[in-house]
Amino acid sequence: IGQGVGPDEEVTISARAASEPIGYTGQQKTYEGEVWTVEELMADMLVYSDNTAAVALAEHTAGSVDAFVALMNQKAAELGMTSTTFQNPNGLDKDGHVSSARDLIRLGTAAIEQPRITRITRLKFVRFTPGGRVMEVKSTNRLLGTFPGVFGIKTGDTARAGEVLLSYAVLSHERFLGVVMGSPDHMAETAQMLAYAGQIFGP
């Protein structure tokens, strides 16, 4: 989220945002007309992978999804993500929407330098009360609380990309970033990768 967008700013969910598909069967919805804060939408997006939250934040930050995607691609270029082109703010399959493991590491490196992000990505449970209703969610990252030292960052799962996980862990006082892409089981493969890293670089 760009500078100048405060965590307590209120965002009304638009029809466009509310029409985004849920990520998986049983995922709770965010509804048109509900009022959320920027910080709540950040948590809903990063913890619960809510596609609506990503679009709502894009609209609030840049005025439109297209304008926000342009900002995303500008930032990607600044970070040296030379194999990345964004077509939407939530990572759903779309022609031309591509990235690479190397580029996701570059993105993760920038993300873990932002305490506002890592404070959210380490959360296992979050409780929201939009409009008075209660929405309690669990992180889509099942390694949180089960693999010591894992603090995020983001899961992904689409038909074209397969299962994807950009992970951040602190092991043996060292920080690690890892990426699994196109996986049949991104949690198990990430756990294996981090266990190996801990053995190689551990005390």
Side-chain angles (χ1 to χ4, degrees), residues 21 106 112 190:
R106 289 191 173 101
I112 64 174
T190 295

Side-chain angles (χ1 to χ4, degrees), residues 16 66 85 87-88 91-98 160:
R16 162 85 186 268
D66 288 345
T85 301
Q87 298 287 349
N88 59 54
L92 295 180
D93 288 333
K94 189 172 183 179
D95 289 345
H97 186 94
V98 295
R160 294 187 189 179

Side-chain angles (χ1 to χ4, degrees), residues 12-203:
T12 301
I13 305 299
S14 69
R16 162 85 186 268
S19 69
E20 290 295 300
I22 59 175
Y24 51 88
T25 302
Q27 186 178 28
Q28 298 180 66
K29 279 285 293 177
T30 306
Y31 297 102
E32 179 183 357
E34 288 184 336
V35 178
W36 293 61
T37 66
V38 166
E39 194 77 358
E40 288 170 337
L41 287 172
M42 289 267 295
D44 191 29
M45 175 182 67
L46 292 171
V47 174
Y48 197 49
S49 293
D50 189 336
N51 295 319
T52 289
V55 171
L57 285 168
E59 292 174 332
H60 180 75
T61 301
S64 72
V65 169
D66 288 345
F68 188 77
V69 169
L71 292 176
M72 292 175 70
N73 285 310
Q74 177 182 325
K75 187 65 175 180
E78 292 172 2
L79 294 175
M81 298 170 64
T82 56
S83 299
T84 295
T85 301
F86 294 116
Q87 298 287 349
N88 59 54
N90 50 24
L92 295 180
D93 288 333
K94 189 172 183 179
D95 289 345
H97 186 94
V98 295
S99 191
S100 68
R102 185 184 298 275
D103 281 2
L104 290 183
I105 290 293
R106 289 191 173 101
L107 181 61
T109 300
I112 64 174
E113 298 305 322
Q114 300 296 322
R116 184 179 178 186
I117 293 176
T118 55
R119 185 173 62 248
I120 293 172
T121 62
R122 67 181 59 195
L123 296 174
K124 190 171 182 179
F125 299 97
V126 186
R127 185 177 189 268
F128 305 110
T129 56
R133 74 180 175 97
V134 176
M135 182 175 165
E136 295 180 326
V137 304
K138 183 178 180 180
S139 175
T140 54
N141 188 345
R142 297 191 306 276
L143 295 181
L144 288 173
T146 62
F147 193 105
V150 169
F151 296 113
I153 301 175
K154 190 69 194 74
T155 63
D157 184 357
T158 72
R160 294 187 189 179
E163 295 186 10
V164 179
L165 178 55
L166 170 60
S167 54
Y168 168 51
V170 180
L171 310 171
S172 303
H173 308 293
E174 297 287 342
R175 299 194 300 173
F176 293 90
L177 284 167
V179 175
V180 170
M181 305 177 76
S183 169
D185 190 341
H186 54 350
M187 298 296 162
E189 292 188 349
T190 295
Q192 291 174 359
M193 178 175 60
L194 291 177
Y196 176 76
Q199 291 174 358
I200 297 298
F201 298 101

